[in-house]
Amino acid sequence: MLKERGINKLLKKFINLVTFTDLPFRKKFLLFSGGALFWLIMVTAIGWITMFDMSAKSRQMVEVIWPQEKTANIVIRKLRGANISAKNIAIFKDPSVISANYRRAKGTLQDSRYYLRTMLSGGQIIDHNRATGQFSEPFHVTRITDPDKRRIIETVIDDINQLDGIVDEIANIGSANNKMGIEEKIAVYDNLTREAVTIMNDYAINVGKEWQKFTLAMKKRLSIGIISISIIFFISAILSAVFGILISRSLTRPIKAITAQIKALSAGGLNLTKKLEVSSHDEIGTLSNEFNSLMDTIEHVASFKKTIEEDESIEDIYMRLGKTFRDELDITDCIIYEVFNSKNSMKVVYPPEAEGKEIYCERDVQIDCEMCRAKRTGHVVSSLEYPDICKHYIDAKPHVCIPIIVGGNVGGVVQVICKEGDSCDPESLEKKITKARQYIVEAQPVLEAKRLMRTLKESSFKDALTGLYNRRFLEESYEGLVAGIIRRGTVIGLLMCDLDFFKETNDVYGHDVGDMVLKEAADKIKRSVRTSDLVIRYGGEEFLVLLIDTHPEDSPEVAEKIRHAVEETKVKITGGFIQKTISIGISEFPSDTHNFWEAIKYADVALYKAKERGRNRVVRFAHDMWTGDRY
């Protein structure tokens, strides 16, 4: 009995040793990787051996056999061509034709003799087509060492030498216009050519048979390589599957308890308040603690995202984000900037009282946001690793700047400042920054949606061509504007502007030029008034200018400024430029009427009077211009 127990114990220890059961995870993976690497080396070695062997054989065929076969075929073609030229000498009587065929036959035979001698000695061959004058791609022929092959080539060279002499005889007979005996010479030439071609053809066939032997040998070597690789791959696959199963079992056993707890946690829906019970202080216990901490973070982040989705404005989101950093992450000093890419600027949105002020960064950063390193690069910028990383940071306290990515671009920057008394060691700050980035990631899609809605709302109030406010904007906002004017007891100057003869511009130059004129006119009008004034594209070529809080009777002066600016503007077109003028009608609210829209109608009436009086002028509304019913 004791002996049997000892045997079982040894057997179990052996099995544990073979299956890596008693080894740490690190050693298990190292041994498993080592085994996989061994079989990979075996497969690679067989593949390399097969590849090198086939490569050597292929090189021999390509560098030796193929050039010989190709040269033999070239010589056959040359000999047949020379035969045709020799017969043409006998057929034609024209001396020039006879001379041309003689030269062609002699040259072709000379090429054939040169190619064959190159095969005997080795060298480069460049095939020359004497009919077209073209040269083929050069190739190299290795020296023939086989005595039988050399004897065959030498025999053909002797035949070519005889053919060369017969060509001379045929040419002499043809030149003398004595065709007697030429048929016998042609017959001898044909027989000798046929003999040389037959010899070279047999030579090419014999060389070609070596290709067949090479193909069979390559198939055999390839089959052996494939079978060897398949066997090794099959063995390695079985061993990998066996050891993979054994190692996976040893990995799953220690975490079954946590798996059961996670399943219980997920049953019936995710309950983030339910925590894992920590029953040990080992790696599994550490994992449980980290899991509980993760659940806490997920719970708060999920609650944060749900809350900001219900916030009314982007400003509310920035305020909530800043307060979360302060209350939940213990980040006591935090600045949040919103980036406006269209204006290349950024402003402080948290804390709101810091807007427009120079706090930790130069004021110019808010004017030109490209000066901000985090905005420009889209990367986290930390002075803990590189103290002087940002040259526009003007405080000595450590800082970390985190970009907020909105719509693929940097839409904001969160700046975290380490004050005295804060925990600013790298490890502690890194944890805070990691959690802060989780909140930022959750806020990014909400900010993107809110910014998009804001942009869509703004775009509905803007004219796409000129960038000015449109008539809808005036209809939506005039009540607040009028209430402010009445409350302050000031005046709105209304300038109704209309480009003169604008239809002719579209008719003569086209709508593209008309659009250019409108854009230039809109720009000149906007530049001629204050930033607090409103310029509205009222329709077509009409612009309405609202001079906010202006002094009574100051409107004509501004109108003249606009008229002069438009008159002096030269719009470049193909072949020159054009100049337009503008007519302006003026009224004032509430000086002329206490009805805002009636004041606009008065300005329109004054505009028509300016048109009637010759255009390119400014006319102030007078009550005698309006004789109809009230607006």
Side-chain angles (χ1 to χ4, degrees):
M1 181 66 72
L2 293 176
K3 185 178 181 180
E4 185 179 351
R5 288 181 179 177
I7 293 174
N8 290 336
K9 187 176 181 180
L10 290 174
L11 181 61
K12 185 178 180 180
K13 184 178 289 187
F14 174 75
I15 293 175
N16 289 344
L17 178 64
V18 173
T19 58
F20 309 151
T21 302
D22 295 331
L23 295 177
F25 291 155
R26 182 172 177 272
K27 289 187 177 180
K28 288 179 183 179
F29 284 113
L30 286 176
L31 290 173
F32 184 80
S33 301
L37 180 62
F38 169 76
W39 292 111
L40 180 62
I41 291 174
M42 290 291 293
V43 171
T44 305
I46 293 175
W48 280 353
I49 292 172
T50 304
M51 180 184 65
F52 288 147
D53 182 51
M54 294 178 67
S55 177
K57 292 294 183 181
S58 300
R59 190 182 303 110
Q60 179 185 1
M61 296 303 297
V62 172
E63 295 180 357
V64 179
I65 304 303
W66 175 79
Q68 292 183 16
E69 183 180 8
K70 184 174 182 180
T71 305
N73 289 325
I74 292 174
V75 171
I76 291 171
R77 176 170 52 80
K78 293 280 187 182
L79 292 175
R80 287 173 176 169
N83 184 271
I84 294 172
S85 298
K87 289 181 179 180
N88 288 337
I89 296 174
I91 293 173
F92 294 99
K93 295 181 180 181
D94 189 342
S96 61
V97 176
I98 293 173
S99 176
N101 281 280
Y102 172 73
R103 290 195 304 272
R104 190 177 299 115
K106 293 286 285 185
T108 304
L109 292 173
Q110 181 181 354
D111 291 344
S112 301
R113 187 165 46 243
Y114 170 73
Y115 295 160
L116 294 173
R117 287 174 179 173
T118 303
M119 291 176 68
L120 293 175
S121 60
Q124 190 179 61
I125 290 179
I126 305 177
D127 185 22
H128 176 222
N129 191 325
R130 293 184 175 272
T132 62
Q134 296 180 342
F135 291 89
S136 64
E137 188 72 22
F139 61 93
H140 188 272
V141 179
T142 57
R143 181 177 178 271
I144 297 177
T145 57
D146 188 341
D148 293 335
K149 291 183 179 180
R150 292 183 66 87
R151 195 178 304 111
I152 292 172
I153 300 301
E154 290 171 352
T155 300
V156 176
I157 292 175
D158 292 339
D159 290 345
I160 291 174
N161 290 334
Q162 295 181 45
L163 290 171
D164 195 270
I166 295 174
V167 168
D168 291 336
E169 295 176 4
I170 293 173
N172 290 333
I173 295 173
S175 300
N177 289 324
N178 182 12
K179 302 299 181 178
M180 297 296 295
I182 199 168
E183 292 183 359
E184 290 80 0
K185 294 294 181 181
I186 291 296
V188 174
Y189 191 93
D190 278 343
N191 291 331
L192 201 56
T193 299
R194 192 178 301 109
E195 177 184 343
V197 168
T198 302
I199 293 173
M200 291 306 300
N201 192 50
D202 292 340
Y203 180 86
I205 292 172
N206 291 330
V207 171
K209 289 179 179 179
E210 297 188 23
W211 278 103
Q212 298 177 359
K213 295 178 182 179
F214 166 76
T215 303
L216 294 174
M218 290 298 100
K219 288 182 178 180
K220 184 176 180 180
R221 285 176 170 80
L222 185 60
S223 299
I224 293 173
I226 292 174
I227 292 172
S228 301
I229 292 174
S230 299
I231 293 173
I232 293 177
F233 180 80
F234 180 73
I235 294 173
S236 63
I238 292 176
L239 293 176
S240 297
V242 171
F243 284 104
I245 293 172
L246 294 173
I247 291 175
S248 65
R249 286 180 179 177
S250 64
L251 284 172
T252 56
R253 288 173 184 171
I255 58 173
K256 280 187 176 180
I258 295 180
T259 304
Q261 291 176 335
I262 293 176
K263 287 182 178 179
L265 181 65
S266 61
L270 185 63
N271 184 4
L272 297 175
T273 61
K274 187 175 181 179
K275 302 296 186 296
L276 294 174
E277 294 183 3
V278 180
S279 58
S280 63
H281 299 285
D282 55 7
E283 292 82 0
I284 303 303
T286 303
L287 179 61
S288 298
N289 284 323
E290 292 296 328
F291 180 81
N292 289 335
S293 177
L294 176 62
M295 290 299 102
D296 289 336
T297 303
I298 292 175
E299 179 186 7
H300 195 273
V301 170
S303 175
F304 169 79
K305 184 177 182 181
K306 184 177 180 181
T307 302
I308 63 175
E309 285 175 347
E310 298 173 353
D311 282 336
E312 183 178 0
S313 64
I314 295 179
E315 290 73 19
D316 294 339
I317 297 176
Y318 287 129
M319 288 294 295
R320 196 173 305 279
L321 189 62
K323 290 178 179 178
T324 300
F325 292 156
R326 182 191 63 196
D327 300 337
E328 300 296 331
L329 306 183
D330 195 27
I331 298 176
T332 58
D333 199 356
C334 170
I335 308 296
I336 302 179
Y337 295 89
E338 183 177 12
V339 173
F340 300 90
N341 287 297
S342 60
K343 299 178 181 178
N344 196 37
S345 64
M346 57 197 300
K347 72 172 184 177
V348 177
V349 290
Y350 177 85
E353 62 270 13
E355 181 181 354
K357 298 180 181 179
E358 183 176 87
I359 306 178
Y360 296 108
C361 293
E362 295 176 357
R363 180 69 177 84
D364 293 341
V365 172
Q366 299 184 44
I367 300 173
D368 182 3
C369 61
E370 288 300 318
M371 297 172 65
C372 175
R373 188 182 186 93
K375 189 277 170 190
R376 187 177 66 254
T377 63
H379 299 153
V380 176
V381 176
S382 175
S383 66
L384 295 175
E385 187 175 358
Y386 300 101
D388 298 324
I389 190 169
C390 185
K391 62 182 180 180
H392 300 293
Y393 182 72
I394 58 177
D395 200 283
K397 301 181 184 70
H399 72 285
V400 177
C401 294
I402 310 167
I404 302 175
I405 307 300
V406 177
N409 298 311
V410 178
V413 176
V414 176
Q415 186 179 58
V416 178
I417 310 298
C418 286
K419 287 186 174 181
E420 295 181 5
D422 291 346
S423 180
C424 289
D425 60 280
E427 184 177 356
S428 176
L429 185 60
E430 184 178 356
K431 290 182 179 180
K432 291 183 180 181
I433 296 302
T434 300
K435 290 185 177 181
R437 294 182 71 177
Q438 293 176 354
Y439 286 97
I440 291 173
V441 168
E442 293 299 326
Q444 284 174 176
V446 182
L447 286 171
E448 182 175 356
K450 297 287 186 182
R451 291 188 68 164
L452 179 59
M453 292 300 296
R454 184 175 67 183
T455 301
L456 289 175
K457 185 176 180 180
E458 291 177 352
S459 65
S460 67
F461 292 146
K462 290 290 185 70
D463 174 55
L465 177 64
T466 62
L468 301 177
Y469 287 112
N470 56 25
R471 189 166 180 171
R472 181 181 175 186
F473 169 79
L474 183 63
E475 293 171 351
E476 293 284 341
S477 60
Y478 85 94
E479 291 181 350
L481 185 64
V482 168
I485 291 295
I486 295 175
R487 184 176 63 252
R488 293 189 297 271
T490 56
V491 173
I492 297 179
L494 296 101
L495 313 183
M496 186 66 75
C497 311
D498 186 87
L499 290 171
D500 297 328
F501 302 111
F502 181 74
K503 185 177 182 301
E504 294 182 2
T505 302
N506 283 333
D507 293 341
V508 175
Y509 299 101
H511 288 279
D512 290 342
V513 174
D515 289 346
M516 292 170 56
V517 171
L518 284 174
K519 289 164 67 175
E520 285 289 338
D523 182 66
K524 295 301 178 184
I525 294 172
K526 194 171 182 179
R527 290 176 180 271
S528 300
V529 298
R530 302 166 301 178
T531 55
S532 59
D533 298 328
L534 295 177
V535 182
I536 298 169
R537 186 180 179 188
Y538 203 66
E541 65 272 21
E542 281 189 326
F543 301 93
L544 177 62
V545 182
L546 304 183
L547 305 178
I548 310 299
D549 295 334
T550 188
H551 295 288
E553 303 304 329
D554 279 354
S555 301
E557 182 179 347
V558 177
E560 280 294 339
K561 182 179 178 182
I562 294 173
R563 187 198 64 77
H564 181 74
V566 173
E567 184 182 26
E568 294 296 318
T569 300
K570 296 180 180 180
V571 180
K572 291 183 179 180
I573 61 172
T574 303
F577 60 87
I578 60 174
Q579 288 179 276
K580 302 297 295 182
T581 59
I582 194 167
S583 299
I584 304 174
I586 303 173
S587 69
E588 290 183 348
F589 172 86
S591 303
D592 295 328
T593 176
H594 289 281
N595 186 317
F596 178 75
W597 294 103
E598 191 173 39
I600 293 178
K601 181 62 178 178
Y602 287 170
D604 197 43
V605 169
L607 170 64
Y608 279 102
K609 291 297 181 182
K611 296 283 188 179
E612 291 175 359
R613 296 175 185 178
R615 293 180 171 83
N616 190 24
R617 64 189 62 242
V618 175
V619 173
R620 174 71 168 86
F621 173 77
H623 284 282
D624 59 0
M625 297 178 183
W626 180 254
T627 58
D629 297 333
R630 295 185 61 82
Y631 179 73

